[in-house]
Amino acid sequence: MKQEILTKAINRINSKKFKNQNDFEQKMASLYADADFINLHAKYKRIIIENAKNEVLGENVDKELEKSLENRIFELKKKHCVENVELTHSCPLCKDEGYVNGDMCKCLKREISEILLTGSGFEKLENFECSIKTSGKLEPVYNLMQQWCKSDFKKSLIFLSGGTGVGKTHLMQCMANELIERGMVVKVVTSFQLNQDFKDFSKCYDDDILNKYLECEVLFIDDLGTEPVYKNVTINYLYLIINERRMKKRPTVITSNLLMSDLYDHYDERIYSRIADRRTSINILLEGEDKRLK
């Protein structure tokens, strides 16, 4: 992942953190300006530190004074009507730090996914629960894909094929949304844009161009087969992406107007074999009328 994307995502987390902190301080402003509170709070901090030190040394601890100061501070909070005011966090898991025990928090991954979606044409995602209710004959497929999104991805490649307008992209948007909710970094790209990046890579060999497709936790490729096939570029790099992600067991979801039987002729045996392998792939044909024409 490019450092600039991570930095941008962390800045978004920090903006929420600072806003929450500012909101809290504004609510507490009158209390913080009260001289009695300032003096009491300073005494309270001193006794807390002293008691903690004495406890370690096995010496007497003045819990009565500590409790007395707590009560007096609480009475002052009541006087200023802030006894129930607490600092809130946009993310209760990491408390707006972005990391939990050194690992990326779900909220940071969500921010990264939203940044990756910007400009992809897929900024607006769909919700499984709402979509299942109106999916009609496709309800079993929606249920299966929702289950897959919650699984351990033993079958890491999903190939959704079918004619124009049968709901492939809508289903893909539901899946992307579900995975982001699970705290995974999602990258969505059209086959045309992916192919353009392949073409650019073939000219400059900048690893960052392909790494964004190799390293994301889940990759969605929409409308495979609609892109032009560039000699010694499209098929080679498409195979590289699919095979590398398969080897590393990183989930990949592909939608296409091509049927499984068309893949061999349109690309080659290598790509066909990776997508058709039932040990690692789920292949689904969506049938029906073009919903966009209704």
Side-chain angles (χ1 to χ4, degrees), residues 16-32 37 41 77 82-89:
K16 294 178 181 179
K17 178 180 178 180
F18 295 146
K19 182 182 181 303
N20 292 331
Q21 182 69 40
N22 187 56
D23 289 346
F24 174 74
E25 290 177 357
Q26 284 185 4
K27 292 174 182 176
M28 303 291 283
S30 65
L31 177 70
Y32 289 164
F37 172 77
H41 194 259
K77 286 183 176 181
V82 294
E83 70 273 19
N84 295 318
V85 174
E86 293 182 0
L87 175 61
T88 59
H89 304 285

Side-chain angles (χ1 to χ4, degrees), residues 16 52 101 139 144 158-159 173 193 212 218 236 263 281 291:
K16 294 178 181 179
N101 298 325
E139 183 176 344
L144 177 63
I158 303 293
F159 184 71
Q173 290 171 313
Q193 181 58 58
K212 61 188 177 185
V218 188
N236 287 345
L263 283 176
S281 304
K291 296 178 181 178

